[in-house]
PDB file of all heavy atoms in Angstrom:
ATOM      1  N   VAL A   5     166.093   2.232 -96.311  1.00 98.00           N
ATOM      2  CA  VAL A   5     166.023   2.150 -94.843  1.00 98.00           C
ATOM      3  C   VAL A   5     166.385   3.512 -94.264  1.00 98.00           C
ATOM      4  O   VAL A   5     167.414   4.081 -94.616  1.00 98.00           O
ATOM      5  CB  VAL A   5     166.984   1.058 -94.311  1.00 98.00           C
ATOM      6  CG1 VAL A   5     166.876   0.974 -92.787  1.00 98.00           C
ATOM      7  CG2 VAL A   5     166.675  -0.282 -94.961  1.00 98.00           C
ATOM      8  N   ARG A   6     165.536   4.018 -93.418  1.00 97.00           N
ATOM      9  CA  ARG A   6     165.808   5.293 -92.750  1.00 97.00           C
ATOM     10  C   ARG A   6     166.034   5.012 -91.263  1.00 97.00           C
ATOM     11  O   ARG A   6     165.577   3.995 -90.739  1.00 97.00           O
ATOM     12  CB  ARG A   6     164.647   6.281 -92.938  1.00 97.00           C
ATOM     13  CG  ARG A   6     164.264   6.557 -94.391  1.00 97.00           C
ATOM     14  CD  ARG A   6     165.428   6.993 -95.279  1.00 97.00           C
ATOM     15  NE  ARG A   6     166.071   8.196 -94.830  1.00 97.00           N
ATOM     16  CZ  ARG A   6     167.404   8.322 -94.656  1.00 97.00           C
ATOM     17  NH1 ARG A   6     168.220   7.315 -94.881  1.00 97.00           N
ATOM     18  NH2 ARG A   6     167.901   9.457 -94.256  1.00 97.00           N
ATOM     19  N   PRO A   7     166.762   5.910 -90.592  1.00 97.00           N
ATOM     20  CA  PRO A   7     167.203   5.597 -89.232  1.00 97.00           C
ATOM     21  C   PRO A   7     166.080   5.344 -88.231  1.00 97.00           C
ATOM     22  O   PRO A   7     166.232   4.531 -87.331  1.00 97.00           O
ATOM     23  CB  PRO A   7     168.013   6.827 -88.817  1.00 97.00           C
ATOM     24  CG  PRO A   7     168.026   7.769 -89.962  1.00 97.00           C
ATOM     25  CD  PRO A   7     167.278   7.182 -91.100  1.00 97.00           C
ATOM     26  N   ASP A   8     164.987   6.049 -88.374  1.00 97.00           N
ATOM     27  CA  ASP A   8     163.925   5.873 -87.382  1.00 97.00           C
ATOM     28  C   ASP A   8     162.553   6.062 -88.020  1.00 97.00           C
ATOM     29  O   ASP A   8     162.435   6.398 -89.202  1.00 97.00           O
ATOM     30  CB  ASP A   8     164.118   6.835 -86.194  1.00 97.00           C
ATOM     31  CG  ASP A   8     164.180   8.276 -86.657  1.00 97.00           C
ATOM     32  OD1 ASP A   8     163.526   8.617 -87.651  1.00 97.00           O
ATOM     33  OD2 ASP A   8     164.902   9.078 -86.022  1.00 97.00           O
ATOM     34  N   LEU A   9     161.578   5.833 -87.204  1.00 97.00           N
ATOM     35  CA  LEU A   9     160.173   5.882 -87.649  1.00 97.00           C
ATOM     36  C   LEU A   9     159.820   7.236 -88.285  1.00 97.00           C
ATOM     37  O   LEU A   9     159.182   7.293 -89.351  1.00 97.00           O
ATOM     38  CB  LEU A   9     159.331   5.613 -86.406  1.00 97.00           C
ATOM     39  CG  LEU A   9     157.840   5.581 -86.448  1.00 97.00           C
ATOM     40  CD1 LEU A   9     157.355   4.673 -85.339  1.00 97.00           C
ATOM     41  CD2 LEU A   9     157.272   6.955 -86.267  1.00 97.00           C
ATOM     42  N   MET A  10     160.253   8.305 -87.657  1.00 97.00           N
ATOM     43  CA  MET A  10     159.938   9.642 -88.172  1.00 97.00           C
ATOM     44  C   MET A  10     160.523   9.841 -89.563  1.00 97.00           C
ATOM     45  O   MET A  10     159.858  10.347 -90.468  1.00 97.00           O
ATOM     46  CB  MET A  10     160.521  10.727 -87.243  1.00 97.00           C
ATOM     47  CG  MET A  10     159.881  10.799 -85.904  1.00 97.00           C
ATOM     48  SD  MET A  10     158.177  11.287 -86.039  1.00 97.00           S
ATOM     49  CE  MET A  10     158.069  12.392 -84.650  1.00 97.00           C
ATOM     50  N   ALA A  11     161.789   9.449 -89.721  1.00 97.00           N
ATOM     51  CA  ALA A  11     162.467   9.664 -91.003  1.00 97.00           C
ATOM     52  C   ALA A  11     161.861   8.783 -92.092  1.00 97.00           C
ATOM     53  O   ALA A  11     161.703   9.213 -93.240  1.00 97.00           O
ATOM     54  CB  ALA A  11     163.965   9.388 -90.846  1.00 97.00           C
ATOM     55  N   ALA A  12     161.482   7.560 -91.739  1.00 98.00           N
ATOM     56  CA  ALA A  12     160.870   6.661 -92.727  1.00 98.00           C
ATOM     57  C   ALA A  12     159.512   7.223 -93.157  1.00 98.00           C
ATOM     58  O   ALA A  12     159.183   7.285 -94.352  1.00 98.00           O
ATOM     59  CB  ALA A  12     160.706   5.264 -92.132  1.00 98.00           C
ATOM     60  N   THR A  13     158.739   7.677 -92.180  1.00 98.00           N
ATOM     61  CA  THR A  13     157.412   8.221 -92.471  1.00 98.00           C
ATOM     62  C   THR A  13     157.528   9.487 -93.312  1.00 98.00           C
ATOM     63  O   THR A  13     156.795   9.706 -94.270  1.00 98.00           O
ATOM     64  CB  THR A  13     156.679   8.519 -91.148  1.00 98.00           C
ATOM     65  OG1 THR A  13     156.711   7.344 -90.341  1.00 98.00           O
ATOM     66  CG2 THR A  13     155.242   8.917 -91.382  1.00 98.00           C
ATOM     67  N   GLU A  14     158.484  10.322 -92.935  1.00 97.00           N
ATOM     68  CA  GLU A  14     158.724  11.574 -93.668  1.00 97.00           C
ATOM     69  C   GLU A  14     159.052  11.283 -95.139  1.00 97.00           C
ATOM     70  O   GLU A  14     158.524  11.923 -96.049  1.00 97.00           O
ATOM     71  CB  GLU A  14     159.893  12.318 -92.989  1.00 97.00           C
ATOM     72  CG  GLU A  14     160.435  13.505 -93.744  1.00 97.00           C
ATOM     73  CD  GLU A  14     159.678  14.789 -93.434  1.00 97.00           C
ATOM     74  OE1 GLU A  14     159.097  14.875 -92.340  1.00 97.00           O
ATOM     75  OE2 GLU A  14     159.663  15.682 -94.297  1.00 97.00           O
ATOM     76  N   LEU A  15     159.894  10.295 -95.361  1.00 98.00           N
ATOM     77  CA  LEU A  15     160.276   9.973 -96.745  1.00 98.00           C
ATOM     78  C   LEU A  15     159.061   9.489 -97.539  1.00 98.00           C
ATOM     79  O   LEU A  15     158.849   9.913 -98.682  1.00 98.00           O
ATOM     80  CB  LEU A  15     161.393   8.914 -96.745  1.00 98.00           C
ATOM     81  CG  LEU A  15     161.840   8.446 -98.127  1.00 98.00           C
ATOM     82  CD1 LEU A  15     162.325   9.610 -98.999  1.00 98.00           C
ATOM     83  CD2 LEU A  15     162.947   7.395 -98.010  1.00 98.00           C
ATOM     84  N   ALA A  16     158.265   8.623 -96.934  1.00 98.00           N
ATOM     85  CA  ALA A  16     157.067   8.135 -97.637  1.00 98.00           C
ATOM     86  C   ALA A  16     156.143   9.311 -97.972  1.00 98.00           C
ATOM     87  O   ALA A  16     155.615   9.408 -99.090  1.00 98.00           O
ATOM     88  CB  ALA A  16     156.338   7.109 -96.770  1.00 98.00           C
ATOM     89  N   ALA A  17     155.989  10.223 -97.037  1.00 98.00           N
ATOM     90  CA  ALA A  17     155.121  11.393 -97.266  1.00 98.00           C
ATOM     91  C   ALA A  17     155.676  12.250 -98.398  1.00 98.00           C
ATOM     92  O   ALA A  17     154.938  12.761 -99.234  1.00 98.00           O
ATOM     93  CB  ALA A  17     154.987  12.205 -95.981  1.00 98.00           C
ATOM     94  N   ARG A  18     157.003  12.401 -98.435  1.00 98.00           N
ATOM     95  CA  ARG A  18     157.621  13.239 -99.483  1.00 98.00           C
ATOM     96  C   ARG A  18     157.438  12.602-100.864  1.00 98.00           C
ATOM     97  O   ARG A  18     157.266  13.299-101.859  1.00 98.00           O
ATOM     98  CB  ARG A  18     159.107  13.466 -99.203  1.00 98.00           C
ATOM     99  CG  ARG A  18     159.384  14.234 -97.955  1.00 98.00           C
ATOM    100  CD  ARG A  18     160.117  15.581 -98.195  1.00 98.00           C
ATOM    101  NE  ARG A  18     159.924  16.439 -97.034  1.00 98.00           N
ATOM    102  CZ  ARG A  18     159.122  17.502 -97.017  1.00 98.00           C
ATOM    103  NH1 ARG A  18     158.477  17.882 -98.090  1.00 98.00           N
ATOM    104  NH2 ARG A  18     158.970  18.212 -95.911  1.00 98.00           N
TER     105      ARG A  18
END
Side-chain angles (χ1 to χ4, degrees):
V5 181
R6 304 307 300 129
D8 56 32
L9 180 153
M10 292 295 221
T13 307
E14 170 87 25
L15 177 57
R18 296 242 160 253

